[in-house]
Amino acid sequence: MVVGSDISRCPNTPWPACRGYLHKRTHSGFMKGWRKRWFVLKHDSCLHYYRHKKDEGKRPPLEVIKLEGAEVGTDSSLGKPFVFNCVPQSGSRTFCLCDGHSDDSFVPYLQNHVWEDVTLHNSSLPPLAIKNPECLGLLHQLDRSTDMWIQHYCILKDGCLYFYASIRSTQASGGLYLQGYRVNEQTLSSKQSVIELKPPSAEFKTFYFCAENKTENQRWITALKTSIKKWLPLHQAIQDFMNQPLEETRM
């Protein structure tokens, strides 16, 4: 099972995953506010930043931010568009960054690096060792090739559904990334209430699940929708921000 693409172990990927200028908020020194810095996201899940673009490869970075286990998310509290925070696992410091160009935002790249590390780690754990799951319990998955329902013990966490043979399993036997999926309740064959997971494009599969009863189905549907919504596509997040009333978007 490949839960996340572990690109940090691929020697033939020398180019950074993402690079560009960001504005970094600072509270130190005489100059308080936003400073423009050149950021480079490496495949080892480290974010390097320099004073200028020309410094990359010629001078050591001003700082290296380790993204493994970090929390990355947008921040609308400052009233400035395209602001996001990065909190490393140590929790000793929060990096507040601003990307002035929505099309080149670092946010999805940072979240994917952090998220893939976390899901890869979670897949190696027993089901009850995953912290703060959003939903857990038995689900039956439809095998379209045999038209049979296969039982799994499932854990839902941060837009990923992990499958286990049983609650006593030592690690996950499979998993689904659910970003962009739509969750619907459907009627299918002999089942009166089925959870349909419909992909964002035709290249991906549609999945069908059912719980022990309709009430459990509703519990899973609510949890799945909430979990997937955390990973709102960037263009949608920007559109939502721009649609806010003027007094909320004042710089």
Side-chain angles (χ1 to χ4, degrees), residues 54-235:
K54 63 183 180 181
D55 295 338
E56 182 187 350
K58 297 180 180 179
R59 296 185 178 182
L62 297 174
E63 193 164 356
V64 177
I65 305 170
K66 293 183 178 181
L67 296 178
E68 184 175 356
E71 295 182 8
V72 179
T74 55
D75 184 353
S76 59
S77 65
L78 299 176
K80 187 178 179 69
F82 318 129
V83 174
F84 60 96
N85 292 325
C86 178
V87 185
Q89 194 171 35
S90 63
S92 59
R93 184 179 176 189
T94 297
F95 293 88
C96 186
L97 307 170
C98 176
D99 183 357
H101 302 86
S102 61
D103 291 338
D104 300 323
S105 178
F106 272 72
V107 175
Y109 293 98
L110 292 170
Q111 287 182 329
N112 283 342
H113 270 254
V114 174
W115 183 66
E116 287 172 1
D117 285 338
V118 172
T119 52
L120 186 65
H121 171 70
N122 285 345
S123 68
S124 67
L125 299 176
L128 300 184
I130 295 180
K131 296 180 180 179
N132 304 315
E134 293 156 346
C135 200
L136 53 83
L138 293 175
L139 282 177
H140 300 266
Q141 180 186 5
L142 178 62
D143 184 339
R144 303 299 292 271
S145 62
T146 62
D147 202 31
M148 296 181 63
W149 293 87
I150 311 300
Q151 180 176 282
H152 304 287
Y153 187 82
C154 296
I155 298 285
L156 176 65
K157 174 71 174 177
D158 293 336
C160 187
L161 188 63
Y162 301 90
F163 302 139
Y164 298 85
S166 75
I167 195 173
R168 296 181 178 84
S169 298
T170 57
Q171 62 182 22
S173 59
L176 290 178
Y177 284 160
L178 298 176
Q179 281 82 346
Y181 272 75
R182 297 194 305 274
V183 185
N184 304 301
E185 184 178 18
Q186 298 285 356
T187 299
L188 190 67
S189 63
S190 60
K191 305 287 185 182
Q192 292 187 349
S193 178
V194 171
I195 304 167
E196 179 188 63
L197 296 178
K198 200 167 186 62
S201 64
E203 61 184 305
F204 300 106
K205 293 181 179 180
T206 298
F207 297 95
Y208 295 94
F209 295 90
C210 68
E212 297 300 312
N213 52 58
K214 190 176 179 68
T215 301
E216 279 292 288
N217 266 6
Q218 288 300 321
R219 181 174 73 92
W220 275 100
I221 288 172
T222 301
L224 286 163
K225 287 181 177 180
T226 302
S227 188
I228 294 171
K229 196 174 181 180
K230 289 181 179 179
W231 299 90
L232 190 67
L234 181 65
H235 67 84

Side-chain angles (χ1 to χ4, degrees), residues 7 13-20 39-47 56 67 104-106 108-110 112-113 116:
I7 57 177
T13 52
W15 292 103
C18 190
R19 50 149 61 101
F39 281 79
V40 180
L41 175 61
K42 300 291 186 73
H43 284 296
D44 60 358
S45 293
C46 287
L47 184 63
E56 182 187 350
L67 296 178
D104 300 323
S105 178
F106 272 72
Y109 293 98
L110 292 170
N112 283 342
H113 270 254
E116 287 172 1

